[in-house]
mmCIF file of all heavy atoms in Angstrom:
data_model
loop_
_atom_site.group_PDB
_atom_site.id
_atom_site.type_symbol
_atom_site.label_atom_id
_atom_site.label_comp_id
_atom_site.label_asym_id
_atom_site.label_seq_id
_atom_site.Cartn_x
_atom_site.Cartn_y
_atom_site.Cartn_z
ATOM 1 N N ALA A 25 81.231 111.550 171.284
ATOM 2 C CA ALA A 25 81.974 111.011 172.425
ATOM 3 C C ALA A 25 81.545 111.704 173.716
ATOM 4 O O ALA A 25 81.397 111.062 174.773
ATOM 5 C CB ALA A 25 83.473 111.180 172.193
ATOM 6 N N GLN A 26 81.318 113.013 173.643
ATOM 7 C CA GLN A 26 80.911 113.765 174.830
ATOM 8 C C GLN A 26 79.508 113.369 175.285
ATOM 9 O O GLN A 26 79.226 113.281 176.483
ATOM 10 C CB GLN A 26 80.963 115.257 174.532
ATOM 11 C CG GLN A 26 80.762 116.140 175.765
ATOM 12 C CD GLN A 26 81.838 115.933 176.810
ATOM 13 O OE1 GLN A 26 83.022 116.093 176.532
ATOM 14 N NE2 GLN A 26 81.427 115.547 178.006
ATOM 15 N N ILE A 27 78.621 113.114 174.320
ATOM 16 C CA ILE A 27 77.266 112.680 174.671
ATOM 17 C C ILE A 27 77.307 111.391 175.477
ATOM 18 O O ILE A 27 76.550 111.208 176.436
ATOM 19 C CB ILE A 27 76.420 112.514 173.385
ATOM 20 C CG1 ILE A 27 76.109 113.884 172.774
ATOM 21 C CG2 ILE A 27 75.132 111.749 173.674
ATOM 22 C CD1 ILE A 27 75.467 113.812 171.405
ATOM 23 N N LYS A 28 78.207 110.495 175.119
ATOM 24 C CA LYS A 28 78.320 109.228 175.847
ATOM 25 C C LYS A 28 78.855 109.436 177.262
ATOM 26 O O LYS A 28 78.426 108.768 178.207
ATOM 27 C CB LYS A 28 79.197 108.270 175.047
ATOM 28 C CG LYS A 28 78.549 107.867 173.727
ATOM 29 C CD LYS A 28 79.467 107.065 172.832
ATOM 30 C CE LYS A 28 78.775 106.767 171.498
ATOM 31 N NZ LYS A 28 79.614 106.001 170.572
ATOM 32 N N VAL A 29 79.759 110.394 177.417
ATOM 33 C CA VAL A 29 80.257 110.731 178.754
ATOM 34 C C VAL A 29 79.146 111.337 179.590
ATOM 35 O O VAL A 29 78.928 110.956 180.752
ATOM 36 C CB VAL A 29 81.456 111.701 178.654
ATOM 37 C CG1 VAL A 29 81.843 112.211 180.043
ATOM 38 C CG2 VAL A 29 82.640 111.031 177.979
ATOM 39 N N TRP A 30 78.413 112.274 179.014
ATOM 40 C CA TRP A 30 77.301 112.894 179.727
ATOM 41 C C TRP A 30 76.255 111.847 180.113
ATOM 42 O O TRP A 30 75.683 111.904 181.203
ATOM 43 C CB TRP A 30 76.648 113.964 178.858
ATOM 44 C CG TRP A 30 77.481 115.195 178.657
ATOM 45 C CD1 TRP A 30 78.438 115.687 179.490
ATOM 46 C CD2 TRP A 30 77.415 116.083 177.528
ATOM 47 N NE1 TRP A 30 78.978 116.830 178.957
ATOM 48 C CE2 TRP A 30 78.372 117.109 177.760
ATOM 49 C CE3 TRP A 30 76.657 116.119 176.367
ATOM 50 C CZ2 TRP A 30 78.570 118.151 176.866
ATOM 51 C CZ3 TRP A 30 76.847 117.152 175.473
ATOM 52 C CH2 TRP A 30 77.801 118.168 175.720
ATOM 53 N N GLY A 31 75.999 110.913 179.215
ATOM 54 C CA GLY A 31 75.029 109.868 179.509
ATOM 55 C C GLY A 31 75.415 109.063 180.732
ATOM 56 O O GLY A 31 74.581 108.779 181.603
ATOM 57 N N ARG A 32 76.668 108.698 180.831
ATOM 58 C CA ARG A 32 77.132 107.943 182.005
ATOM 59 C C ARG A 32 77.023 108.782 183.274
ATOM 60 O O ARG A 32 76.657 108.278 184.336
ATOM 61 C CB ARG A 32 78.568 107.465 181.788
ATOM 62 C CG ARG A 32 78.691 106.358 180.735
ATOM 63 C CD ARG A 32 80.057 105.708 180.777
ATOM 64 N NE ARG A 32 81.111 106.637 180.370
ATOM 65 C CZ ARG A 32 81.509 106.813 179.127
ATOM 66 N NH1 ARG A 32 80.922 106.145 178.139
ATOM 67 N NH2 ARG A 32 82.482 107.657 178.845
ATOM 68 N N GLU A 33 77.316 110.064 183.152
ATOM 69 C CA GLU A 33 77.203 110.947 184.313
ATOM 70 C C GLU A 33 75.755 111.069 184.784
ATOM 71 O O GLU A 33 75.494 111.297 185.973
ATOM 72 C CB GLU A 33 77.747 112.332 183.959
ATOM 73 C CG GLU A 33 79.258 112.370 183.749
ATOM 74 C CD GLU A 33 79.771 113.716 183.265
ATOM 75 O OE1 GLU A 33 78.936 114.602 182.940
ATOM 76 O OE2 GLU A 33 81.000 113.896 183.222
ATOM 77 N N LEU A 34 74.831 110.902 183.884
ATOM 78 C CA LEU A 34 73.407 111.003 184.213
ATOM 79 C C LEU A 34 72.809 109.670 184.659
ATOM 80 O O LEU A 34 71.596 109.588 184.900
ATOM 81 C CB LEU A 34 72.633 111.546 183.009
ATOM 82 C CG LEU A 34 72.877 113.031 182.696
ATOM 83 C CD1 LEU A 34 72.305 113.404 181.330
ATOM 84 C CD2 LEU A 34 72.254 113.914 183.781
ATOM 85 N N GLY A 35 73.614 108.638 184.759
ATOM 86 C CA GLY A 35 73.141 107.361 185.286
ATOM 87 C C GLY A 35 72.856 106.287 184.274
ATOM 88 O O GLY A 35 72.428 105.184 184.645
ATOM 89 N N PHE A 36 73.064 106.565 182.993
ATOM 90 C CA PHE A 36 72.910 105.532 181.975
ATOM 91 C C PHE A 36 74.182 104.690 181.926
ATOM 92 O O PHE A 36 75.285 105.205 182.088
ATOM 93 C CB PHE A 36 72.640 106.148 180.599
ATOM 94 C CG PHE A 36 71.327 106.857 180.502
ATOM 95 C CD1 PHE A 36 71.275 108.253 180.488
ATOM 96 C CD2 PHE A 36 70.137 106.160 180.438
ATOM 97 C CE1 PHE A 36 70.060 108.926 180.417
ATOM 98 C CE2 PHE A 36 68.914 106.819 180.364
ATOM 99 C CZ PHE A 36 68.875 108.204 180.349
ATOM 100 N N GLN A 37 74.023 103.411 181.690
ATOM 101 C CA GLN A 37 75.188 102.542 181.605
ATOM 102 C C GLN A 37 75.840 102.579 180.229
ATOM 103 O O GLN A 37 77.020 102.282 180.090
ATOM 104 C CB GLN A 37 74.807 101.097 181.959
ATOM 105 C CG GLN A 37 74.789 100.803 183.453
ATOM 106 C CD GLN A 37 73.746 101.628 184.194
ATOM 107 O OE1 GLN A 37 72.562 101.563 183.886
ATOM 108 N NE2 GLN A 37 74.177 102.417 185.166
ATOM 109 N N GLN A 38 75.066 102.950 179.210
ATOM 110 C CA GLN A 38 75.617 102.994 177.860
ATOM 111 C C GLN A 38 74.751 103.859 176.959
ATOM 112 O O GLN A 38 73.530 103.891 177.095
ATOM 113 C CB GLN A 38 75.715 101.576 177.284
ATOM 114 C CG GLN A 38 76.467 101.464 175.968
ATOM 115 C CD GLN A 38 76.560 100.022 175.476
ATOM 116 O OE1 GLN A 38 76.010 99.113 176.096
ATOM 117 N NE2 GLN A 38 77.248 99.821 174.375
ATOM 118 N N ILE A 39 75.414 104.558 176.058
ATOM 119 C CA ILE A 39 74.756 105.358 175.033
ATOM 120 C C ILE A 39 75.268 104.902 173.674
ATOM 121 O O ILE A 39 76.479 104.679 173.495
ATOM 122 C CB ILE A 39 75.072 106.863 175.185
ATOM 123 C CG1 ILE A 39 74.599 107.389 176.545
ATOM 124 C CG2 ILE A 39 74.473 107.670 174.040
ATOM 125 C CD1 ILE A 39 73.108 107.535 176.677
ATOM 126 N N GLY A 40 74.366 104.735 172.725
ATOM 127 C CA GLY A 40 74.760 104.405 171.364
ATOM 128 C C GLY A 40 74.013 105.305 170.390
ATOM 129 O O GLY A 40 72.994 105.917 170.754
ATOM 130 N N ILE A 41 74.516 105.383 169.181
ATOM 131 C CA ILE A 41 73.902 106.258 168.175
ATOM 132 C C ILE A 41 73.594 105.445 166.920
ATOM 133 O O ILE A 41 74.472 104.750 166.392
ATOM 134 C CB ILE A 41 74.829 107.434 167.833
ATOM 135 C CG1 ILE A 41 75.107 108.267 169.103
ATOM 136 C CG2 ILE A 41 74.217 108.316 166.742
ATOM 137 C CD1 ILE A 41 76.199 109.285 168.945
ATOM 138 N N ALA A 42 72.354 105.530 166.487
ATOM 139 C CA ALA A 42 71.901 104.788 165.308
ATOM 140 C C ALA A 42 71.421 105.748 164.233
ATOM 141 O O ALA A 42 71.069 106.900 164.514
ATOM 142 C CB ALA A 42 70.769 103.839 165.682
ATOM 143 N N GLY A 43 71.386 105.266 163.003
ATOM 144 C CA GLY A 43 70.800 106.025 161.911
ATOM 145 C C GLY A 43 69.290 105.949 161.981
ATOM 146 O O GLY A 43 68.714 105.422 162.936
ATOM 147 N N SER A 44 68.632 106.447 160.969
ATOM 148 C CA SER A 44 67.166 106.518 160.987
ATOM 149 C C SER A 44 66.504 105.524 160.039
ATOM 150 O O SER A 44 65.331 105.676 159.707
ATOM 151 C CB SER A 44 66.722 107.950 160.632
ATOM 152 O OG SER A 44 67.214 108.324 159.354
ATOM 153 N N THR A 45 67.239 104.494 159.638
ATOM 154 C CA THR A 45 66.693 103.486 158.732
ATOM 155 C C THR A 45 66.503 102.171 159.471
ATOM 156 O O THR A 45 67.449 101.650 160.072
ATOM 157 C CB THR A 45 67.620 103.266 157.524
ATOM 158 O OG1 THR A 45 67.771 104.503 156.831
ATOM 159 C CG2 THR A 45 67.035 102.227 156.579
ATOM 160 N N LEU A 46 65.282 101.634 159.430
ATOM 161 C CA LEU A 46 64.964 100.378 160.121
ATOM 162 C C LEU A 46 64.272 99.415 159.151
ATOM 163 O O LEU A 46 63.269 98.790 159.485
ATOM 164 C CB LEU A 46 64.065 100.647 161.334
ATOM 165 C CG LEU A 46 64.639 101.544 162.434
ATOM 166 C CD1 LEU A 46 63.549 101.940 163.409
ATOM 167 C CD2 LEU A 46 65.775 100.840 163.156
ATOM 168 N N ALA A 47 64.818 99.288 157.957
ATOM 169 C CA ALA A 47 64.162 98.505 156.907
ATOM 170 C C ALA A 47 63.970 97.049 157.307
ATOM 171 O O ALA A 47 62.889 96.469 157.110
ATOM 172 C CB ALA A 47 64.970 98.596 155.611
ATOM 173 N N ASP A 48 64.992 96.416 157.874
ATOM 174 C CA ASP A 48 64.877 95.003 158.262
ATOM 175 C C ASP A 48 63.842 94.823 159.360
ATOM 176 O O ASP A 48 63.049 93.868 159.344
ATOM 177 C CB ASP A 48 66.232 94.475 158.722
ATOM 178 C CG ASP A 48 67.233 94.355 157.581
ATOM 179 O OD1 ASP A 48 66.800 94.367 156.410
ATOM 180 O OD2 ASP A 48 68.442 94.243 157.866
ATOM 181 N N ALA A 49 63.852 95.726 160.323
ATOM 182 C CA ALA A 49 62.880 95.648 161.417
ATOM 183 C C ALA A 49 61.463 95.833 160.894
ATOM 184 O O ALA A 49 60.519 95.214 161.401
ATOM 185 C CB ALA A 49 63.201 96.704 162.474
ATOM 186 N N GLU A 50 61.300 96.659 159.878
ATOM 187 C CA GLU A 50 59.979 96.878 159.289
ATOM 188 C C GLU A 50 59.445 95.590 158.673
ATOM 189 O O GLU A 50 58.265 95.244 158.857
ATOM 190 C CB GLU A 50 60.049 97.974 158.229
ATOM 191 C CG GLU A 50 58.710 98.285 157.587
ATOM 192 C CD GLU A 50 58.797 99.509 156.679
ATOM 193 O OE1 GLU A 50 58.849 100.632 157.208
ATOM 194 O OE2 GLU A 50 58.819 99.324 155.436
ATOM 195 N N VAL A 51 60.301 94.853 157.985
ATOM 196 C CA VAL A 51 59.887 93.587 157.377
ATOM 197 C C VAL A 51 59.455 92.600 158.458
ATOM 198 O O VAL A 51 58.405 91.949 158.358
ATOM 199 C CB VAL A 51 61.028 92.996 156.524
ATOM 200 C CG1 VAL A 51 60.680 91.580 156.074
ATOM 201 C CG2 VAL A 51 61.315 93.881 155.318
ATOM 202 N N ARG A 52 60.250 92.505 159.533
ATOM 203 C CA ARG A 52 59.919 91.566 160.618
ATOM 204 C C ARG A 52 58.618 91.959 161.307
ATOM 205 O O ARG A 52 57.794 91.098 161.641
ATOM 206 C CB ARG A 52 61.071 91.505 161.622
ATOM 207 C CG ARG A 52 62.343 90.863 161.080
ATOM 208 C CD ARG A 52 63.311 90.550 162.198
ATOM 209 N NE ARG A 52 63.734 91.743 162.906
ATOM 210 C CZ ARG A 52 64.785 92.482 162.573
ATOM 211 N NH1 ARG A 52 65.501 92.164 161.501
ATOM 212 N NH2 ARG A 52 65.123 93.547 163.288
ATOM 213 N N LEU A 53 58.428 93.258 161.524
ATOM 214 C CA LEU A 53 57.201 93.717 162.173
ATOM 215 C C LEU A 53 55.985 93.414 161.304
ATOM 216 O O LEU A 53 54.951 92.945 161.802
ATOM 217 C CB LEU A 53 57.283 95.213 162.466
ATOM 218 C CG LEU A 53 56.025 95.834 163.087
ATOM 219 C CD1 LEU A 53 55.716 95.203 164.432
ATOM 220 C CD2 LEU A 53 56.188 97.352 163.230
ATOM 221 N N ASP A 54 56.089 93.670 160.015
ATOM 222 C CA ASP A 54 54.974 93.400 159.107
ATOM 223 C C ASP A 54 54.590 91.924 159.131
ATOM 224 O O ASP A 54 53.397 91.573 159.141
ATOM 225 C CB ASP A 54 55.334 93.821 157.678
ATOM 226 C CG ASP A 54 55.328 95.332 157.488
ATOM 227 O OD1 ASP A 54 54.853 96.042 158.395
ATOM 228 O OD2 ASP A 54 55.810 95.796 156.432
ATOM 229 N N GLU A 55 55.581 91.060 159.141
ATOM 230 C CA GLU A 55 55.313 89.617 159.174
ATOM 231 C C GLU A 55 54.644 89.227 160.489
ATOM 232 O O GLU A 55 53.701 88.418 160.510
ATOM 233 C CB GLU A 55 56.621 88.847 158.990
ATOM 234 C CG GLU A 55 57.231 88.987 157.594
ATOM 235 C CD GLU A 55 58.582 88.304 157.484
ATOM 236 O OE1 GLU A 55 59.140 87.904 158.536
ATOM 237 O OE2 GLU A 55 59.096 88.171 156.351
ATOM 238 N N TRP A 56 55.113 89.780 161.587
ATOM 239 C CA TRP A 56 54.575 89.473 162.919
ATOM 240 C C TRP A 56 53.109 89.913 163.008
ATOM 241 O O TRP A 56 52.253 89.158 163.486
ATOM 242 C CB TRP A 56 55.432 90.194 163.956
ATOM 243 C CG TRP A 56 55.147 89.876 165.387
ATOM 244 C CD1 TRP A 56 55.410 88.713 166.050
ATOM 245 C CD2 TRP A 56 54.567 90.769 166.353
ATOM 246 N NE1 TRP A 56 55.035 88.821 167.371
ATOM 247 C CE2 TRP A 56 54.523 90.065 167.579
ATOM 248 C CE3 TRP A 56 54.109 92.087 166.300
ATOM 249 C CZ2 TRP A 56 54.014 90.654 168.750
ATOM 250 C CZ3 TRP A 56 53.607 92.665 167.467
ATOM 251 C CH2 TRP A 56 53.559 91.947 168.669
ATOM 252 N N LEU A 57 52.826 91.107 162.531
ATOM 253 C CA LEU A 57 51.454 91.613 162.547
ATOM 254 C C LEU A 57 50.548 90.805 161.626
ATOM 255 O O LEU A 57 49.389 90.513 161.967
ATOM 256 C CB LEU A 57 51.431 93.087 162.145
ATOM 257 C CG LEU A 57 52.089 94.077 163.114
ATOM 258 C CD1 LEU A 57 52.156 95.468 162.491
ATOM 259 C CD2 LEU A 57 51.349 94.119 164.443
ATOM 260 N N ALA A 58 51.060 90.440 160.467
ATOM 261 C CA ALA A 58 50.264 89.674 159.504
ATOM 262 C C ALA A 58 49.842 88.328 160.075
ATOM 263 O O ALA A 58 48.772 87.807 159.734
ATOM 264 C CB ALA A 58 51.046 89.477 158.211
#
Side-chain angles (χ1 to χ4, degrees):
Q26 189 62 57
I27 289 171
K28 294 172 183 179
V29 172
W30 289 333
R32 290 193 293 271
E33 291 174 352
L34 289 168
F36 294 106
Q37 276 63 58
Q38 189 178 3
I39 300 287
I41 300 169
S44 59
T45 301
L46 299 169
D48 291 343
E50 181 172 284
V51 171
R52 292 193 298 271
L53 177 62
D54 286 349
E55 292 175 349
W56 187 71
L57 293 172

